[in-house]
Amino acid sequence: MPSIGHLLQTFFDSSDLFIDAMLLTLQLTVVSILVGIVIGLFFALLKISNIKALEWISNTYVYLVRGTPLIVQIFILYFGISGIFLIPDFWAAALALAFHNGAYIAEIFRGTIQSVDKGQMEAGRSLGMSKALTMRRIILPQAFRRSLPPLGNQFIIGLKDSSLAAFISMNELFNVATTLGSNNFDEMTYLLIVAFYYLVLVAILTLIVRAIEKKLAVSDR
Amino acid sequence: MYTREMIHIENLNKSFGDLHVLKDVNVTVKESDVVCLVGASGSGKSTLLRCVNFLEKKDNGKIIIEGKEITQDTHDINEVRQKVGMVFQHFNLFPHMTVLENIIEAPVHVKKIPKDEAIKEAKALLQKVGLDDKADVYPSKLSGGQKQRVAIARALAMKPDIMLFDEPTSALDPELVGEVLSTMKELAEEGMTMVVVTHEMGFAREVADWIIYMDEGIIVEKAKPEEFFTNPKEERTKEFIQTIGLK
């Protein structure tokens, strides 16, 4: 194990590189979650469409994502996408992560949409609102509120999962840690440092999620 | 004097799986009539009401609204529903909207009425149901009786020709029933055509033009209130009136 003094020294010496890496990790995470929310909502709506073919498409997507390791998905999508289109590595990694997050987010949305009392749909319909309008104006706003806490949770999971983008040469936190570690023959020091960065990020996110939950609880109506 | 037939139902059948809930039901409701549907739980009265605005899909039979036979294929159900307001047992107010927003939602987004005009009309409706001070309050802050009166105002905002009430006071504390019934009574006095599924026999007796007694998916008897309560023709109706202790 490295000594405390050596750890601190290395921590401060490497902070420039790690802060850049941390920003890249955050960018990857935010983009992959935001795109994942769009994908997730789309597949959640397919899932509750009551149209067999659409449900099947959505179920297959979720099954594929849940049934295979993330690293395999990242490699398949990375080589698959870059084999067809010329897109920057960042977007290949972000889209692969979004594809993965989307499946879990689809399940979150499906659950919260179905948790809205069915009397809400009936009330909208009885006023002459179409199914789509009732969904957009009445059901989804209520479902979104209920989705925020589990979405926050998915955000934290997505943050940690983004470390796998290291394997397609993204210079995010984990990649910087392993590169510096092997260049300096000092793996353990850099791994401890990168663990610290992740812990700080997750702590901040946890506080944000908690604040949102608290706010929702207060205005719970 | 000729009065318009607002609802005409012919040989309506509806099953849920093996359960035959409505059996060859025939009903006619004329303009300005107040019809109360009474009967034990599970007799099919709520299902009948829900068929009238197509929340339940009939198996067969005819549903004629204001002279036109309505089916899902030939008519835009959303348009028909604008003429047929519905009030639910559990209010079903939109919890993420204020009282005012609840009321203007459909007029603004379905009828495309300008928002300021819709707000003006909504405020008038709130005054009518005695809740003009609650416009900017969220439903969770209202009592059950207030919620139901908002729900009535919300349905009225679409200017329907017919109002359906599905056990509107069944979910209320006893002391809150009166305020909802008196709102409904006012509506009846203004000439609104109303079909009310209810267990409130006092209301039925006082306000209804017709009482329809249903049992096991069949209309057993249709009579004027006085006749219904004092001189029922059918044996089953007599038993029903005895069990509810009103004679």
Side-chain angles (χ1 to χ4, degrees), chain B residues 5-13 22 24-29 37 47-54 58 60-65 164 195 219:
Chain B
E5 279 187 359
M6 302 300 277
I7 303 172
H8 184 80
I9 289 172
E10 257 178 59
N11 300 325
L12 185 70
N13 280 285
L22 295 176
D24 279 325
V25 168
N26 293 284
V27 181
T28 300
V29 179
L37 289 173
T47 305
L48 174 58
L49 196 73
R50 291 165 59 84
C51 281
V52 174
N53 77 343
F54 306 92
K58 67 177 185 193
N60 53 59
K62 283 184 181 173
I63 299 173
I64 298 162
I65 309 275
L164 309 176
V195 183
I219 291 186

Side-chain angles (χ1 to χ4, degrees), chain A residues 117-120 122-131 133 137-138 141-142 145 220-221, chain B residues 50 53 78 81 84 86 88 92-97 105-106 109-110 138 140 154-155 158:
Chain A
D117 183 68
K118 80 176 186 2
Q120 293 289 305
E122 290 189 347
R125 299 308 306 277
S126 79
L127 289 165
M129 297 168 75
S130 68
K131 193 174 174 189
L133 182 64
R137 295 280 313 168
I138 310 300
Q142 296 181 59
R145 287 171 60 95
D220 206 8
R221 25 212 202 214
Chain B
R50 291 165 59 84
N53 77 343
N78 295 326
R81 284 183 175 136
V84 186
M86 175 106 174
F88 299 88
N92 298 347
L93 294 178
F94 307 135
H96 57 304
M97 298 179 180
E105 177 65 22
H109 288 96
V110 178
Y138 283 93
S140 65
R154 180 177 69 178
M158 290 302 280

Side-chain angles (χ1 to χ4, degrees), chain A residues 14-15 24 28 35 63 67 74 85 88 90 92-94 112 114 124 129 178 203:
Chain A
S14 63
S15 62
L24 183 59
L28 270 177
V35 176
Y63 174 67
I74 290 177
F85 307 105
F90 173 83
T112 54
Q114 287 179 339
M129 297 168 75
T178 50

Side-chain angles (χ1 to χ4, degrees), chain A residues 43-76:
Chain A
F43 281 100
L45 291 174
L46 293 193
K47 221 167 216 210
I48 57 164
S49 65
N50 280 330
I51 299 170
K52 278 274 171 319
L54 300 183
E55 282 172 43
W56 184 86
I57 290 171
S58 186
N59 286 335
T60 305
Y61 163 62
V62 172
Y63 174 67
L64 287 178
V65 169
R66 285 211 289 209
T68 54
L70 174 54
I71 188 68
V72 175
Q73 294 162 22
I74 290 177
F75 274 30
I76 289 175

Side-chain angles (χ1 to χ4, degrees), chain B residues 114-126:
Chain B
K115 202 171 169 186
D116 46 345
E117 197 179 310
I119 290 175
K120 223 165 84 188
E121 288 175 11
K123 286 192 167 157
L125 283 168
L126 277 175

